[in-house]
Amino acid sequence: MSTPHLSWSFLILNLLIFHFPLRTSAIRKDIGLGKRICRNTVQGRYSLSDDNGYVCDALSVDSESRCCPEIGDKFSCHGCNLLSQCCNSYEYCVSCCLNPSKTMKHSIIKMKIAKPATAGTYANVFDFCAGRCRHNSESVVHENAYISDFHHCFSTTSKSSGANSTMLEARLNGIDVVVGRQGESCDSVCKSNGQSCVPNKLLVLNQCDIMQKYMRCKGACLSSMGSDQPAEVVDNAPKHLNPGACLYTRTQSMLSCDGSHQHTRRLCPCA
C-alpha cells in the first residue's frame, strides 16, 4: 500500500518543481520584450513626428509602438528658420523643438500653458513642442490668412515671426536691399548701382522672414550649401533645384559677396 502513495507524492513534487517555474519564466519573458510606446503628432495628414524626434510618413509608423522608423535625421529642422525658430511645417517644428540644444527641459516645464493664473504647466518637452508649434491668433491677419508661411514657431518668447523680422530689418538701416539678376554675384549687383556689397549684412538677409519680403519664395524656404545664398531659384531652373524656392545657408562662413549661380537670383546688401 505504501508504494502507490509514494508514486503519487513523487508525481506531485515533479509538477511543483518543473511545471510552475516554467510558466512563471514564460510570463516574465513576455513582459521583458514589451515595446516602448511613443507619443506622436497624430493629426498629421501625410507625416508626423514622434517624441523621439523623428519625422516620418504617416503610413510608416509602427502600428504597435506608434514610433517612426529610426531613419533619417533626428531632431530635423527641415524648412525651419533657426533664428526666428519658426517653420513651415508643424511636424518639423516639433522635431526641431525636441532637440535638447534648442529647448531646455528645465526652463519649459515651469512655463504656463496659457496666460490665466490657473493654467497648468507643461508636463514634458514633447507637450511643450506639440503645443507651442501650433499656430495661434498671433500668426494670422484678418483671421483667415497667415502672416508668413513660417507660422509654426517654438520660440519661448513669441509665436509670431513678425516681431523678429522687424528687429532684423532695423539692422539694415542705411542698406539698400537689392534683388540681383539671374547668375549675378552681389559684388556685380551692387556695383551696377554705384555701390558696394556689405559682407556683414549678408547674415541679416540670410533669413527666411527677410527673403520673403523681397522675393516670392513660393511658400518654400530651404537650407542650402552654396556660396550664392541668400538667393531665390529662378522659375526655369531644373526641377531638382526647386524652382521658385528661396535658399539660405546654415554655414555662415559660406556667405560671400562674390558667390553666384547660373540658376539663382541673389538678395544683396548694398551701400
Side-chain angles (χ1 to χ4, degrees):
M1 295 295 293
S2 60
T3 303
H5 285 291
L6 185 61
S7 298
W8 278 109
S9 299
F10 184 74
L11 178 61
I12 292 171
L13 183 62
N14 280 334
L15 287 173
L16 290 173
I17 293 175
F18 297 108
H19 181 64
F20 288 104
L22 286 174
R23 292 185 63 185
T24 304
S25 175
I27 293 172
R28 289 177 180 171
K29 183 177 180 181
D30 290 341
I31 293 174
L33 292 176
K35 288 186 177 181
R36 177 185 182 274
I37 303 300
C38 289
R39 299 181 63 195
N40 60 50
T41 54
V42 294
Q43 71 270 35
R45 183 177 179 182
Y46 301 109
S47 61
L48 52 79
S49 174
D50 66 20
D51 57 8
N52 287 322
Y54 288 99
V55 177
C56 64
D57 183 277
L59 297 177
S60 67
V61 176
D62 187 287
S63 60
E64 295 181 5
S65 69
R66 298 169 61 193
C67 298
C68 284
E70 295 186 357
I71 55 176
D73 293 335
K74 187 175 183 178
F75 308 132
S76 175
C77 295
H78 176 72
C80 297
N81 182 329
L82 298 184
L83 183 62
S84 66
Q85 294 185 317
C86 294
C87 311
N88 58 13
S89 162
Y90 173 67
E91 288 74 27
Y92 280 102
C93 177
V94 173
S95 176
C96 189
C97 173
L98 286 171
N99 190 331
S101 68
K102 295 180 174 60
T103 304
M104 305 299 177
K105 181 178 179 180
H106 68 273
S107 63
I108 62 95
I109 58 175
K110 299 177 182 179
M111 291 182 60
K112 288 186 174 295
I113 298 174
K115 291 182 179 179
T118 55
T121 56
Y122 292 104
N124 50 61
V125 177
F126 181 78
D127 282 347
F128 169 82
C129 294
R132 195 72 176 176
C133 284
R134 291 191 180 93
H135 44 261
N136 68 355
S137 58
E138 296 179 17
S139 303
V140 298
V141 290
H142 307 305
E143 299 183 357
N144 61 0
Y146 293 118
I147 293 174
S148 164
D149 288 309
F150 293 78
H151 50 263
H152 299 288
C153 306
F154 59 91
S155 169
T156 56
T157 55
S158 174
K159 293 186 71 173
S160 172
S161 60
N164 182 72
S165 61
T166 300
M167 288 188 291
L168 286 172
E169 286 190 300
R171 296 167 57 186
L172 295 173
N173 287 337
I175 299 294
D176 291 329
V177 179
V178 182
V179 179
R181 291 188 293 270
Q182 181 176 344
E184 279 191 308
S185 69
C186 280
D187 278 336
S188 177
V189 171
C190 294
K191 186 177 180 180
S192 64
N193 290 338
Q195 298 175 307
S196 297
C197 175
V198 185
N200 62 359
K201 296 300 181 182
L202 285 169
L203 180 61
V204 182
L205 298 182
N206 188 49
Q207 313 294 333
C208 293
D209 296 339
I210 296 296
M211 282 190 280
Q212 287 175 331
K213 289 182 177 294
Y214 297 94
M215 296 171 155
R216 293 173 299 164
C217 296
K218 292 187 176 180
C221 189
L222 309 174
S223 172
S224 185
M225 292 293 291
S227 62
D228 59 312
Q229 277 88 60
E232 181 181 50
V233 183
V234 296
D235 290 337
N236 61 0
K239 287 187 177 181
H240 72 276
L241 295 179
N242 299 298
C246 284
L247 307 177
Y248 69 94
T249 181
R250 294 176 183 170
T251 309
Q252 297 179 11
S253 60
M254 295 193 71
L255 293 171
S256 168
C257 284
D258 61 3
S260 64
H261 190 282
Q262 61 176 328
H263 293 300
T264 63
R265 300 185 303 140
R266 295 204 62 182
L267 187 63
C268 305
C270 304

